[in-house]
Amino acid sequence: MTKKATTSKAAPSKAAPSKAAAKKTAAVKESAAAKKTAAVKESAAAKKTAALKKAAAAKPVVKKPVAKKTAAAKKPLVAEPSTALVRRARRINRELAEVYPYAHPELDFENPFQLVVATVLSAQTTDLRVNQTTPALFAKYPTPEDLAAANPEEVEEILRPTGFFRAKTKSVIGLSKALAEEFGGEVPGRLEDLVRLPGVGRKTAFVVLGNAFGRPGITVDTHFQRLVRRWEWTDETEPDKIEAAVGALFPKSEWTMLSHHVIFHGRRICHARKPACGACPIAPLCPAYGEGETDPEKARKLLKYEKGGYPGQRLNPPQAYLDAGGVPAPPLGAG
């Protein structure tokens, strides 16, 4: 009985190692399968990456063409002005039109030729001095052909009072030759033709177009530049950009008279060094009010030309100017 019992107890110990071995074998198989799967995946990924690189290397690189800027895509010279600025600018012009209903070009002329010559001569001097000088010039050389054939020394002597007379002589004789040879002795009525003439820039061209041909233009002289910046119509400093910025504020039909109004005001009240702020009719609209004399009595003493009891610039002014109380300028050498 004892022997059988011992044999029967030993049987389970043989079965136990058999289960552990099975577990170990299963684990080894599972690990091997996992490694194989991972290796397969890694190999597939590597092959795919290699294929992509090979395809990318084989594919030609095509550069996208850079789009050229067209005229429409360029930034406009002048930004769209605000409604408030347009309203204020136009109100100032209306006020000035009431103050200076007789505003006009302050150079004496009887035809386009006289006007273009007088405008060229007005550089670095006053319109008054030009008006006192041109009667003798046009009496001796009434046409472009006459002035083109003139003796430069004789012309210099006539133009001496205007300053820079040698350079001005060269310009007026040169433009007269151009008129005689290229335009049949007639002043052209187009901007692109006028600016080809010696001594004629955009400012001179617009004076001629607006006042001799009735074609709108903005005359950006020193007075105009000063005032439109004081009024904050623009902060530009170059004449062509000022012209564009101010032109955007007004209908084209108003450009010529706008120029006269602004220049008249700049010469008479809104002076460069000491504006007569206390006597200014548009003071409530002016952002620069206070830069000059604000006392009304002292400001009135600063007024120039007819408003201050002095004659204007022209020897032969328009009748509207005379009717408003304006006085003609004296001829050269008078009192």
Side-chain angles (χ1 to χ4, degrees):
M1 291 291 294
T2 307
K3 215 173 190 181
K4 286 182 182 178
T6 305
T7 304
S8 130
K9 285 180 182 178
S13 63
K14 287 182 181 179
S18 178
K19 287 183 180 178
K23 285 183 181 179
K24 185 176 181 180
T25 302
V28 169
K29 287 182 179 180
E30 186 177 348
S31 174
K35 285 180 180 180
K36 186 176 181 180
T37 302
V40 170
K41 286 183 179 179
E42 186 177 348
S43 175
K47 286 180 180 178
K48 186 176 181 180
T49 302
L52 289 172
K53 285 182 178 180
K54 186 176 181 181
K59 188 178 180 181
V61 178
V62 180
K63 292 184 178 180
K64 291 183 179 180
V66 179
K68 292 183 178 179
K69 290 184 178 180
T70 61
K74 288 181 180 178
K75 184 179 179 182
L77 184 63
V78 180
E80 187 71 22
S82 68
T83 303
L85 175 58
V86 171
R87 287 176 177 171
R88 183 167 62 84
R90 294 184 181 184
R91 185 178 174 190
I92 286 176
N93 188 40
R94 288 195 300 272
E95 296 284 343
L96 293 179
E98 291 184 10
V99 177
Y100 309 112
Y102 46 81
H104 56 272
E106 294 193 90
L107 290 168
D108 282 322
F109 70 98
E110 295 177 359
N111 54 56
F113 172 61
Q114 291 188 359
L115 180 56
V116 70
V117 169
T119 308
V120 169
L121 296 178
S122 69
Q124 305 298 317
T125 191
T126 63
D127 287 354
L128 171 59
R129 182 60 69 188
V130 174
N131 292 336
Q132 292 173 327
T133 304
T134 51
L137 180 71
F138 296 136
K140 192 167 185 177
Y141 311 107
T143 68
E145 292 81 1
D146 294 326
L147 191 50
N151 182 332
E153 292 182 359
E154 293 179 1
V155 176
E156 286 178 3
E157 195 57 36
I158 295 173
L159 300 184
R160 186 179 293 272
T162 67
F164 303 96
F165 57 91
R166 290 190 180 88
K168 291 179 180 180
T169 295
K170 185 177 180 180
S171 291
V172 298
I173 289 179
L175 74 84
S176 297
K177 286 181 178 178
L179 291 175
E181 295 171 2
E182 299 178 34
F183 299 100
E186 299 291 332
V187 176
R190 299 194 312 162
L191 176 65
E192 53 268 39
D193 292 329
L194 284 168
V195 295
R196 288 168 49 198
L197 301 174
V200 177
R202 289 179 68 88
K203 185 193 85 169
T204 297
F206 281 129
V207 170
V208 175
L209 289 173
N211 298 289
F213 294 99
R215 295 175 184 172
I218 293 177
T219 303
V220 184
D221 71 351
T222 56
H223 301 289
F224 194 94
Q225 292 184 47
R226 180 177 72 253
L227 267 62
V228 298
R229 285 200 294 270
R230 279 181 176 170
W231 296 336
E232 297 180 1
W233 289 2
T234 180
D235 58 1
E236 298 290 353
T237 56
E238 297 177 24
D240 59 336
K241 292 183 179 180
I242 292 173
E243 176 193 320
V246 175
L249 303 175
F250 296 89
K252 195 172 183 179
S253 59
E254 296 182 14
W255 287 358
T256 299
M257 285 309 299
L258 167 71
S259 300
H260 293 326
H261 295 152
V262 175
I263 293 170
F264 251 61
H265 191 63
R267 285 177 169 171
R268 287 154 175 78
I269 295 179
C270 197
H271 313 137
R273 295 183 181 177
K274 199 169 185 180
C277 294
C280 181
I282 60 166
L285 302 173
C286 182
Y289 176 79
E291 285 188 11
E293 181 58 65
T294 56
D295 180 85
E297 289 299 322
K298 292 180 180 178
R300 272 193 288 272
K301 293 179 182 179
L302 298 173
L303 302 182
K304 296 181 179 180
Y305 304 131
E306 75 282 2
K307 292 293 183 181
Y310 301 103
Q313 299 279 284
R314 294 183 66 166
L315 279 66
N316 298 298
Q319 188 59 45
Y321 176 77
L322 298 175
D323 292 342
V327 180
L332 189 65

